[in-house]
């Protein structure tokens, strides 16, 4: 008498194992992708026939008709910028008659990234948007050669044709330059996580502007985007460093740092000048209100959808292509000339 495993329907994973190919290769065969060697496709079809595998309805839909579904690959965080971009993608997709399905990465480990992308492809998406990806995501997307167009919302710049981006390096340089113009020379940088493209580009901007101003940079502190890290790093930095200014990689870390300044009996900007990055809605209401670099998250998300629909050949007659606003420094009360 057979057990339950004997009676279960074969799955895509079984086909991949029998054909000795990856899950995504089986998906491409099911979806009639032209990006496969004939012998590979034949081996997969043979495995499908041998196992009597029946692709799910979603997989068949992609091969026969438009599903009007856009996949979004998000990072393992819910920061303001990421949330705002995802909301903008959903809104722009809905206006164009498309739906959105979101998968957040559990980790940046390659196997987790591939599994998350496979999960989206299995839902028969017509295209994929990767929002603020970690550094490992872009090469994995290139390696997988997905059978659908891909757009990357990031700071990777013009060298990546599929990217919708803001120049994070230029924004970071503007933040540092503002401190220098106020008279600061001892400027610290609290950076974002090591595996984030945005964090890397903002750190590059800090180093480039310090070099351009002929100033000696301090080793950047790698954080995690949270106010708690900014607070803890602030307590340590204020004890060991004699800096008069800080450029934080995002507003939340700047908020935590300002809390640390107050916790040890000092004040912003009298004792230390602070600039953040992103201009989250709360930035104008902190005390003191935070000087920061504003990003047009909504415009970036909308533009990514527009570009993806262009890749899909969707006509947008009569509509104007949205252009995100450029990054710009918003000067508030958290910055001032050094008092020492």
């Amino acid at each position: 008498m057979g057990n339950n495993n004997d009676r279960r329907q074969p799955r895509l994973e079984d086909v991949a194992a029998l054909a000795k190919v990856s899950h995504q290769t089986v998906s491409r065969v099911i979806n009639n992708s032209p990006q496969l060697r004939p012998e590979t496709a034949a081996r997969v079809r043979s495995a499908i026939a041998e196992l009597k595998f029946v692709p799910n309805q979603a997989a068949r839909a992609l091969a026969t008709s438009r599903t009007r579904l856009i996949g979004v690959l998000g990072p393992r965080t819910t920061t303001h910028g990421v949330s705002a971009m995802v909301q903008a993608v959903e809104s722009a997709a809905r206006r164009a008659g498309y739906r959105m399905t979101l998968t957040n990465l559990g980790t940046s480990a390659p196997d987790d990234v591939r599994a998350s992308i496979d999960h989206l492809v299995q839902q028969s998406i017509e295209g994929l948007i990767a929002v603020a990806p970690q550094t490992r995501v872009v090469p994995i997307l290139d390696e997988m050669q997905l059978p659908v167009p891909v757009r990357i919302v990031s700071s990777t710049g013009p060298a990546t044709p599929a990217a919708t981006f803001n120049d994070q390096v230029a924004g970071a340089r503007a933040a540092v330059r503002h401190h220098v113009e106020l008279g600061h020379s001892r400027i610290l940088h609290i950076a974002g996580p090591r595996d984030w493209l945005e964090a890397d580009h903002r750190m590059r901007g800090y180093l480039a502007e310090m070099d351009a101003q002929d100033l000696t940079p301090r080793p950047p502190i790698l954080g995690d985007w949270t106010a708690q890290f900014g607070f803890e790093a602030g307590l340590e930095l204020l004890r060991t460093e004699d800096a008069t200014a800080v450029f934080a990689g995002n507003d939340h870390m700047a908020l935590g740092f300002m809390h640390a300044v107050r916790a040890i009996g000092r004040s912003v900007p009298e004792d230390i000048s602070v600039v953040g990055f992103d201009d989250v809605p709360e930035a104008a209401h902190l005390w003191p209100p935070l000087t920061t670099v504003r990003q047009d998250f909504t415009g970036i998300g909308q533009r990514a959808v527009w570009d993806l629909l262009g890749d899909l050949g969707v006509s947008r007659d009569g509509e104007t292509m949205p252009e995100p606003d450029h990054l710009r420094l918003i000067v508030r009360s958290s910055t001032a000339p050094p008092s020492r």
Side-chain angles (χ1 to χ4, degrees):
M1 182 175 178
N3 58 30
N4 289 337
N5 288 336
D6 295 330
R7 292 197 299 269
R8 74 169 173 81
Q9 293 296 316
R11 299 175 300 184
L12 184 142
E13 290 84 354
D14 301 321
V15 176
L18 181 60
K20 294 182 173 57
V21 296
S22 65
H23 300 169
Q24 58 264 28
T25 297
V26 177
S27 298
R28 293 188 192 115
V29 172
I30 292 171
N31 299 327
N32 295 332
S33 170
Q35 300 175 328
L36 291 168
R37 291 194 297 271
E39 58 270 24
T40 301
R43 193 164 72 250
V44 172
R45 292 192 181 99
S46 175
I48 289 173
E50 181 177 338
L51 293 173
K52 297 182 173 58
F53 171 70
V54 179
N56 62 33
Q57 185 62 37
R60 289 197 299 270
L62 185 58
T64 59
S65 64
R66 307 199 82 154
T67 61
R68 305 192 78 79
L69 183 64
I70 292 174
V72 175
L73 183 68
R76 60 181 192 276
T77 184
T78 55
T79 61
H80 166 72
V82 171
S83 298
M85 284 189 286
V86 169
Q87 290 174 12
V89 167
E90 183 176 26
S91 177
R94 188 168 58 248
R95 287 198 304 272
Y98 276 72
R99 296 173 295 123
M100 183 194 83
T101 179
L102 170 67
T103 292
N104 287 316
L105 291 172
T107 73
S108 60
D111 287 347
D112 284 344
V113 175
R114 293 187 187 96
S116 296
I117 295 169
D118 278 341
H119 175 70
L120 288 170
V121 171
Q122 286 303 305
Q123 297 180 61
S124 300
I125 57 173
E126 288 190 28
L128 185 147
I129 294 175
V131 175
Q134 285 100 332
T135 54
R136 294 180 178 179
V137 171
V138 175
I140 290 173
L141 284 168
D142 290 340
E143 163 203 312
M144 291 179 71
Q145 296 185 329
L146 299 182
V148 298
V150 176
R151 283 280 159 178
I152 298 163
V153 180
S154 176
S155 59
T156 48
T160 304
T164 303
F165 71 98
N166 263 331
D167 192 340
Q168 309 286 308
V169 172
R173 293 190 66 162
V176 175
R177 192 179 310 119
H178 175 63
H179 277 318
V180 174
E181 289 171 350
L182 288 171
H184 295 277
S185 58
R186 303 191 302 277
I187 305 168
L188 292 171
H189 179 43
I190 303 176
R194 181 187 302 275
D195 61 342
W196 276 67
L197 290 169
E198 279 72 14
D200 177 65
H201 283 235
R202 292 171 200 176
M203 183 166 59
R204 291 187 194 183
Y206 163 76
L207 295 171
E209 189 62 27
M210 292 292 283
D211 181 66
Q213 299 287 346
D214 199 25
L215 298 174
T216 302
R218 313 294 176 94
I221 308 300
L222 300 183
D224 62 5
W225 298 133
T226 66
Q228 182 63 31
F229 181 88
F231 176 72
E232 293 171 356
L235 292 178
E236 178 66 18
L237 291 170
L238 292 166
R239 183 178 64 83
T240 60
E241 296 280 353
D242 63 347
T244 62
V246 164
F247 163 45
N250 77 338
D251 289 346
H252 287 99
M253 292 192 297
L255 165 63
F257 181 85
M258 291 197 297
H259 181 192
V261 173
R262 290 191 296 272
I264 65 168
R266 297 169 69 183
S267 61
V268 175
E270 291 79 7
D271 295 310
I272 192 157
S273 188
V274 180
V275 176
F277 204 107
D278 286 339
D279 195 26
V280 301
E282 300 83 5
H285 306 289
L286 301 177
W287 190 254
L290 180 64
T291 296
T292 185
V293 178
R294 176 176 294 169
Q295 294 205 77
D296 180 12
F297 295 113
T298 298
I300 296 170
Q302 290 174 339
R303 177 57 191 263
V305 173
W306 180 280
D307 290 340
L308 185 67
L309 293 175
D311 296 337
L312 292 169
V314 177
S315 174
R316 307 305 303 274
D317 292 341
E319 291 192 48
T320 303
M321 180 171 59
E323 287 289 348
D325 291 336
H326 293 295
L327 291 173
R328 59 194 179 100
L329 184 73
I330 306 298
V331 178
R332 298 192 179 105
S333 306
S334 67
T335 49
S339 58
R340 53 189 170 90

